Amino acid sequence: MDGTLVNTVACVENYWRGMAEKYNVDAEKLLHNVHGHPTYDVLCKWFPESMHSRESAEKAEADLMHDAEGVFAVPGVPELLADLDSSKWTIVTAATQALALTRMQQVSLPIPDTLVSAKDVQVGKPSPECYEMGAKRLGVGAKETVVFEDSINGVKAGRAAGATVVGVLTSTTEEKLRQAGAEYVVEDFSKVRVEDRGGYLEIVI
């Protein structure tokens, strides 16, 4: 969701830069390791032990949630989702459900019938668990799905689940997305079309 449907790169990176400065963490290394990672995992890997708690992660996401500066829908997404049956697509995110829903609402995007968030899985991306669960909630096998991802971990998770993965160039370079396993790469969704064929969706990129 972050960086794929909603471009939150500036907002997210500004937040983590501030945290890096406050706790004397290498900001550049940190920023290379936040996209596609659950907030809790980021805190546990990069910050003092006193912050290794779900409460700290929830506070961090609450701070992020109320900062909408620089947040916007990725080009083409509003048009793509406007006519798409809400039961035929889902959001699979490393964020909490509250943050995901807030971001979608901040840029006036529709909400799908199902959503997989950080609390729904035992292991975050690049584990395939999240995408396997997303497919299950859609009532299909993971190999029948197409995943759009902007992060290296997200691409790896989608491929590990057996999905076809399309990289989106918002937070990661094309070279790195392809190295992670993206089979296709798009700049945004402005040229992406989805045709409902009744029993399946046809995606044209």
Side-chain angles (χ1 to χ4, degrees):
M1 184 274 305
D2 279 343
T4 304
L5 300 178
V6 183
N7 192 320
T8 60
V9 173
C11 173
V12 168
E13 293 192 352
N14 284 341
Y15 174 79
W16 288 114
R17 280 187 187 280
M19 289 286 285
E21 182 176 355
K22 181 177 180 180
Y23 291 95
N24 196 30
V25 172
D26 186 315
E28 295 310 312
K29 288 183 178 179
L30 175 64
L31 294 181
H32 283 297
N33 290 276
V34 296
H35 298 291
H37 292 264
T39 303
Y40 176 74
D41 291 355
V42 174
L43 293 176
C44 288
K45 182 174 181 178
W46 294 92
F47 292 90
E49 189 174 350
S50 60
M51 301 182 69
H52 299 180
S53 67
R54 297 294 177 185
E55 291 75 16
S56 294
E58 288 173 3
K59 181 183 183 304
E61 293 217 347
D63 291 341
L64 277 166
M65 192 183 306
H66 295 104
D67 181 7
E69 185 175 354
V71 174
F72 59 92
V74 172
V77 169
E79 295 81 3
L80 182 70
L81 297 184
D83 298 321
L84 195 56
D85 186 333
S86 60
S87 69
K88 294 186 177 181
W89 66 282
T90 190
I91 292 172
V92 176
T93 179
T96 61
Q97 179 171 313
L99 179 56
L101 294 177
T102 296
R103 289 301 190 214
M104 296 290 281
Q105 291 162 357
Q106 284 171 341
V107 295
S108 302
L109 291 178
I111 307 298
D113 292 354
T114 64
L115 185 150
V116 177
S117 66
K119 287 188 177 180
D120 294 320
V121 297
Q122 296 297 315
V123 184
K125 303 171 185 178
S127 165
E129 181 185 357
C130 57
Y131 281 117
E132 291 169 346
M133 183 176 293
K136 184 176 181 180
R137 291 184 177 180
L138 290 173
V140 299
K143 292 182 179 180
E144 299 175 75
T145 64
V146 176
V147 167
F148 287 86
E149 264 289 356
D150 72 303
S151 73
I152 292 172
N153 268 3
V155 170
K156 289 181 177 179
R159 286 303 304 273
T164 298
V165 179
V166 181
V168 183
L169 294 173
T170 51
S171 67
T172 309
T173 64
E174 178 173 357
E175 180 182 9
K176 289 183 178 180
L177 289 172
R178 289 193 182 278
Q179 286 176 347
E183 296 151 278
Y184 307 93
V185 174
V186 295
E187 184 174 350
D188 53 38
F189 288 81
S190 58
K191 295 182 180 179
V192 178
R193 301 197 323 274
V194 178
E195 303 289 341
D196 194 332
R197 300 302 186 190
Y200 65 94
L201 298 178
E202 180 179 87
I203 299 175
V204 181
I205 58 174

